[in-house]
Amino acid sequence: MNICVFLSAADLDERYTRPAKEFAELLGKGGHTLVWGGSDVGLMKVVADGVQESGGRLLGVSVDFLAAKAREGADEMVIARDLAERKRLLLEKADAVVIMVGGTGTLDEATEILELKKHGHTDKPVVLLNTAGFYDGLKEQFRRMEDEGFLPRPLTELVFFAEEPVGALAYLEESQGIE
């Protein structure tokens, strides 16, 4: 399975890097391909390293202005013109999406895939990996949107919330019929 992971390129502490590395190792050992923003820095590097060291493939989609930070040695690297093209290519190349901890760029990517799902433009499974409770506030906001009628589909049809890496990958593999 090609699993797109939206996540930060920042250098983060152990409470975020440990679960990210654990997810990456599970992905690699499962024979999956990481589809990611292509950067070789911060949490993006942690995940790419973990996938590659565990036998998985790396498919990066960087962007012109970040190409200098693109990972060398990826199995495939595409350089997009701009962030909009990058998002489109990441989603095109993915069978499923995992949203890890991140900043405004990650949030932008997350809301775009959820908006596409909401309107029926994709049926790819989406997991929000709520490492260390990072997305507790967002989860509450999504529930409020659902409760107050802002979502035309049940929240459970849009996104699966996982607290641990093993649960995230298990959900994706089950959704794709992989045992």
Side-chain angles (χ1 to χ4, degrees):
M1 185 173 14
N2 287 353
I3 300 174
C4 177
V5 177
F6 294 134
L7 72 166
S8 178
D11 289 316
L12 301 168
D13 70 35
E14 171 84 7
R15 71 185 156 150
Y16 299 121
T17 57
R18 182 197 47 75
K21 185 167 178 52
E22 181 184 331
F23 180 77
E25 289 170 356
L26 290 168
L27 196 153
K29 287 176 184 169
H32 302 295
T33 297
L34 171 68
V35 179
W36 94 117
S39 290
D40 202 28
V41 296
L43 198 61
M44 284 194 187
K45 177 178 177 21
V46 169
V47 171
D49 287 349
V51 169
Q52 201 164 43
E53 290 164 7
S54 301
R57 291 187 71 250
L58 299 179
L59 195 170
V61 182
S62 189
V63 65
D64 266 344
F65 66 88
L66 294 175
K69 294 181 180 180
R71 183 182 184 98
E72 292 184 23
D75 296 287
E76 183 180 345
M77 183 64 67
V78 177
I79 307 296
R81 289 185 315 274
D82 55 32
L83 291 171
E85 182 184 37
R86 181 194 207 184
K87 277 192 297 190
R88 182 182 58 75
L89 290 169
L90 284 164
L91 293 174
E92 268 179 21
K93 295 176 180 298
D95 301 312
V97 174
V98 174
I99 303 154
M100 289 186 166
V101 296
T104 54
T106 302
L107 193 56
D108 172 59
E109 294 159 340
T111 54
E112 178 147 339
I113 185 69
L114 294 177
E115 192 67 8
L116 289 169
K117 277 194 84 165
K118 183 180 92 173
H119 292 290
H121 291 282
T122 186
D123 61 354
K124 294 176 184 182
V126 177
V127 173
L128 199 146
L129 184 52
N130 190 27
T131 301
F134 185 80
Y135 286 118
D136 285 349
L138 185 60
K139 190 175 180 180
E140 184 178 326
Q141 185 62 48
F142 282 148
R143 286 190 176 138
R144 182 173 180 181
M145 289 174 186
E146 180 179 41
D147 292 346
E148 296 185 18
F150 289 94
L151 301 179
R153 296 173 64 182
L155 185 58
T156 55
E157 289 182 15
L158 297 178
V159 63
F160 176 79
F161 292 93
E163 301 300 318
E164 295 294 329
V166 69
L169 190 59
Y171 173 81
L172 294 179
E173 288 179 342
E174 185 179 304
S175 72
Q176 299 293 302
I178 299 170
E179 296 189 17

Short mmCIF file of all heavy atoms in Angstrom, two decimals, residues 15 18 28 59 63 69 71 74 81-82 103 108 124 142 163 170 175:
data_model
loop_
_atom_site.label_atom_id
_atom_site.label_comp_id
_atom_site.label_asym_id
_atom_site.label_seq_id
_atom_site.Cartn_x
_atom_site.Cartn_y
_atom_site.Cartn_z
N ARG A 15 8.61 12.53 22.67
CA ARG A 15 7.19 12.13 22.74
C ARG A 15 6.54 12.11 21.35
O ARG A 15 5.52 11.46 21.15
CB ARG A 15 6.41 13.00 23.72
CG ARG A 15 6.20 14.40 23.26
CD ARG A 15 5.54 15.23 24.31
NE ARG A 15 5.89 16.61 24.03
CZ ARG A 15 5.13 17.62 24.32
NH1 ARG A 15 4.00 17.44 24.94
NH2 ARG A 15 5.51 18.83 24.00
N ARG A 18 9.40 9.21 18.91
CA ARG A 18 9.32 7.77 19.20
C ARG A 18 8.13 7.12 18.50
O ARG A 18 8.29 6.13 17.79
CB ARG A 18 9.29 7.52 20.71
CG ARG A 18 9.25 6.04 21.08
CD ARG A 18 8.81 5.80 22.53
NE ARG A 18 7.64 6.54 22.95
CZ ARG A 18 6.38 6.26 22.59
NH1 ARG A 18 6.12 5.25 21.78
NH2 ARG A 18 5.37 6.98 23.02
N GLY A 28 7.34 0.01 7.10
CA GLY A 28 8.40 -0.66 6.34
C GLY A 28 8.32 -2.17 6.43
O GLY A 28 8.42 -2.87 5.42
N LEU A 59 8.70 7.30 -1.51
CA LEU A 59 8.24 8.07 -2.67
C LEU A 59 8.00 9.49 -2.18
O LEU A 59 7.02 9.75 -1.48
CB LEU A 59 6.95 7.44 -3.21
CG LEU A 59 6.46 7.85 -4.59
CD1 LEU A 59 5.32 6.94 -5.03
CD2 LEU A 59 6.05 9.29 -4.69
N VAL A 63 8.86 20.24 -3.21
CA VAL A 63 8.39 21.42 -3.94
C VAL A 63 9.61 22.28 -4.26
O VAL A 63 10.61 22.24 -3.54
CB VAL A 63 7.31 22.17 -3.10
CG1 VAL A 63 7.90 22.73 -1.82
CG2 VAL A 63 6.62 23.24 -3.90
N LYS A 69 16.26 20.60 0.42
CA LYS A 69 16.10 19.75 1.61
C LYS A 69 15.55 18.37 1.26
O LYS A 69 15.25 17.58 2.14
CB LYS A 69 15.18 20.43 2.62
CG LYS A 69 15.76 21.71 3.19
CD LYS A 69 14.84 22.34 4.21
CE LYS A 69 15.45 23.61 4.75
NZ LYS A 69 14.60 24.25 5.73
N ARG A 71 15.26 14.54 0.21
CA ARG A 71 16.06 13.39 0.62
C ARG A 71 16.73 12.74 -0.59
O ARG A 71 16.07 12.37 -1.56
CB ARG A 71 15.18 12.37 1.31
CG ARG A 71 15.96 11.16 1.84
CD ARG A 71 15.01 10.16 2.47
NE ARG A 71 15.70 9.06 3.07
CZ ARG A 71 15.98 8.96 4.37
NH1 ARG A 71 15.63 9.92 5.20
NH2 ARG A 71 16.60 7.90 4.85
N ALA A 74 15.99 8.44 -2.02
CA ALA A 74 14.61 7.96 -2.02
C ALA A 74 14.42 7.10 -3.27
O ALA A 74 15.11 7.27 -4.27
CB ALA A 74 13.64 9.14 -2.04
N ARG A 81 5.85 22.15 -8.64
CA ARG A 81 6.04 23.60 -8.85
C ARG A 81 5.69 24.40 -7.61
O ARG A 81 6.34 25.38 -7.28
CB ARG A 81 5.16 24.09 -10.00
CG ARG A 81 5.56 23.66 -11.37
CD ARG A 81 4.68 24.32 -12.44
NE ARG A 81 3.25 24.29 -12.12
CZ ARG A 81 2.44 23.27 -12.41
NH1 ARG A 81 2.91 22.20 -13.03
NH2 ARG A 81 1.16 23.31 -12.11
N ASP A 82 4.59 24.01 -6.96
CA ASP A 82 4.10 24.78 -5.81
C ASP A 82 3.39 23.84 -4.84
O ASP A 82 3.26 22.64 -5.10
CB ASP A 82 3.18 25.91 -6.28
CG ASP A 82 2.01 25.42 -7.14
OD1 ASP A 82 1.52 24.29 -6.92
OD2 ASP A 82 1.57 26.18 -8.02
N GLY A 103 2.37 21.42 11.91
CA GLY A 103 1.92 22.80 12.02
C GLY A 103 0.87 23.15 10.99
O GLY A 103 0.05 22.31 10.59
N ASP A 108 -3.33 22.19 6.85
CA ASP A 108 -3.85 22.49 5.52
C ASP A 108 -4.05 21.21 4.71
O ASP A 108 -5.10 21.00 4.10
CB ASP A 108 -2.87 23.43 4.79
CG ASP A 108 -3.23 23.64 3.33
OD1 ASP A 108 -4.35 24.12 3.05
OD2 ASP A 108 -2.39 23.30 2.47
N LYS A 124 -10.41 7.34 -0.02
CA LYS A 124 -9.20 6.83 0.62
C LYS A 124 -9.37 6.92 2.14
O LYS A 124 -9.87 7.92 2.65
CB LYS A 124 -7.98 7.63 0.18
CG LYS A 124 -7.68 7.46 -1.28
CD LYS A 124 -6.54 8.33 -1.75
CE LYS A 124 -6.40 8.15 -3.26
NZ LYS A 124 -5.33 8.89 -3.84
N PHE A 142 -13.95 18.89 15.55
CA PHE A 142 -14.63 18.07 14.53
C PHE A 142 -15.95 17.53 15.08
O PHE A 142 -16.96 17.51 14.38
CB PHE A 142 -13.75 16.91 14.08
CG PHE A 142 -12.66 17.29 13.11
CD1 PHE A 142 -11.46 16.60 13.10
CD2 PHE A 142 -12.83 18.30 12.18
CE1 PHE A 142 -10.46 16.91 12.21
CE2 PHE A 142 -11.83 18.63 11.28
CZ PHE A 142 -10.63 17.94 11.29
N GLU A 163 -4.83 6.46 18.56
CA GLU A 163 -3.98 6.99 19.63
C GLU A 163 -2.56 6.42 19.54
O GLU A 163 -1.63 7.00 20.07
CB GLU A 163 -4.58 6.67 21.00
CG GLU A 163 -5.98 7.25 21.20
CD GLU A 163 -6.06 8.77 21.09
OE1 GLU A 163 -5.16 9.45 21.62
OE2 GLU A 163 -7.02 9.27 20.46
N ALA A 170 -3.12 -0.80 11.53
CA ALA A 170 -4.12 -1.88 11.51
C ALA A 170 -5.40 -1.41 10.82
O ALA A 170 -5.98 -2.13 10.01
CB ALA A 170 -4.41 -2.36 12.93
N SER A 175 -8.87 -1.67 6.16
CA SER A 175 -9.70 -0.95 5.20
C SER A 175 -9.36 -1.33 3.77
O SER A 175 -10.18 -1.21 2.86
CB SER A 175 -9.58 0.57 5.39
OG SER A 175 -8.31 1.01 4.96
#
